[in-house]
């Protein structure tokens, strides 16, 4: 069984944490699973790529193509990427086919507290401009298959909600 679970939300919403918890659970039930982490792909394939809209679009196209190929070859694929623009997520949905968009919603004050990469601290000090979901664009999904309020749910509850949705 192949499909793509597309996790979207601003930095610090919990995408990577949920992706790895889902990966573990899906492996336990016998599925062949891959996680495509946007930051990991970016750092390995093109570490000097910037964050302009055009550069972000290229990055998203690469991730979509990788997810499409994995899914086509029977691999359950979990994508963890901000994908700040609706048009890119709609492109992914159209290209991939078996696609479940999961929006990880989380209030800004919680994301600032979590700040796993120190990005909000830099943005608050004025050292980082255009942080997606802070002083940069993040267009919330209009019709995701699932919305998870990550400030109110445990990771285990989030995993169970996604599993219910993909069944």
């Amino acid at each position: 069984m192949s499909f793509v679970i597309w996790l979207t939300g601003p930095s610090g919403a919990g995408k990577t944490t949920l992706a790895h918890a889902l990966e573990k659970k899906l492996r336990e039930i016998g599925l062949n699973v891959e996680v495509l982490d946007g930051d990991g792909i970016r750092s390995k394939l093109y570490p000097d790529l910037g964050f302009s809209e055009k550069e972000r679009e290229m990055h998203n196209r690469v991730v979509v193509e990788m997810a499409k190929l994995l899914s086509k070859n029977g691999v359950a694929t979990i994508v963890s990427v901000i994908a700040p623009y609706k048009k890119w997520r709609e492109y992914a949905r159209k290209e991939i086919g078996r696609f479940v968009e999961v929006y990880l919603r989380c209030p800004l004050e919680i994301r600032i507290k979590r700040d796993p990469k120190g990005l909000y601290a830099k943005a608050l000090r004025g050292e980082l401009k255009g942080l997606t979901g802070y002083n940069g664009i993040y267009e919330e999904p209009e019709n995701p298959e699932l919305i998870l309020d990550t400030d109110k749910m445990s990771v285990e509850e989030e995993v169970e909600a996604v599993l219910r949705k993909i069944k």
Side-chain angles (χ1 to χ4, degrees):
M1 169 160 70
S2 66
F3 49 83
V4 173
I5 300 169
W6 189 279
L7 305 177
T8 184
S11 181
K15 295 177 300 298
T16 300
T17 300
L18 178 55
H20 292 297
L22 273 170
E23 175 187 27
K24 182 176 187 261
K25 192 70 164 177
L26 292 172
R27 285 189 195 285
E28 285 173 4
I29 62 175
L31 293 181
N32 187 10
V33 184
E34 267 314 314
V35 172
L36 298 178
D37 181 75
D39 289 340
I41 291 167
R42 178 183 278 273
S43 68
K44 287 179 182 74
L45 295 182
Y46 30 81
D48 297 326
L49 188 71
F51 290 90
S52 71
E53 184 174 350
K54 188 170 186 67
E55 290 164 312
R56 288 174 185 244
E57 180 177 3
M58 190 277 294
H59 173 59
N60 276 268
R61 287 182 181 276
V62 168
V63 173
V64 167
E65 198 58 30
M66 292 171 78
K68 187 166 79 171
L69 290 171
L70 286 166
S71 180
K72 184 175 125 182
N73 285 284
V75 178
T77 306
I78 303 163
V79 174
S80 171
V81 66
I82 292 174
Y85 295 97
K86 293 174 194 172
K87 65 184 176 184
W88 299 342
R89 295 187 303 265
E90 287 309 310
Y91 170 79
R93 178 183 302 281
K94 187 179 113 235
E95 285 293 306
I96 292 168
R98 293 184 58 135
F99 181 92
V100 177
E101 183 178 20
V102 180
Y103 172 37
L104 280 68
R105 185 167 55 190
C106 185
L108 177 61
E109 59 272 11
I110 301 298
R111 297 191 323 260
I112 289 172
K113 279 184 191 170
R114 289 178 179 171
D115 202 11
K117 298 172 189 156
L119 299 175
Y120 289 101
K122 286 181 182 177
L124 288 166
R125 290 191 304 266
E127 298 168 10
L128 180 61
K129 305 281 187 241
L131 176 60
T132 303
Y134 178 66
N135 54 7
I137 294 170
Y138 181 78
E139 298 173 348
E140 290 189 9
E142 291 176 357
N143 297 302
E145 281 73 18
L146 190 58
I147 298 173
L148 302 175
D149 289 304
T150 64
D151 62 317
K152 298 175 183 158
M153 300 173 76
S154 69
V155 175
E156 294 76 20
E157 291 169 325
E158 294 170 17
V159 167
E160 289 307 313
V162 173
L163 293 177
R164 280 192 305 275
K165 182 53 77 176
I166 62 174
K167 286 181 183 174

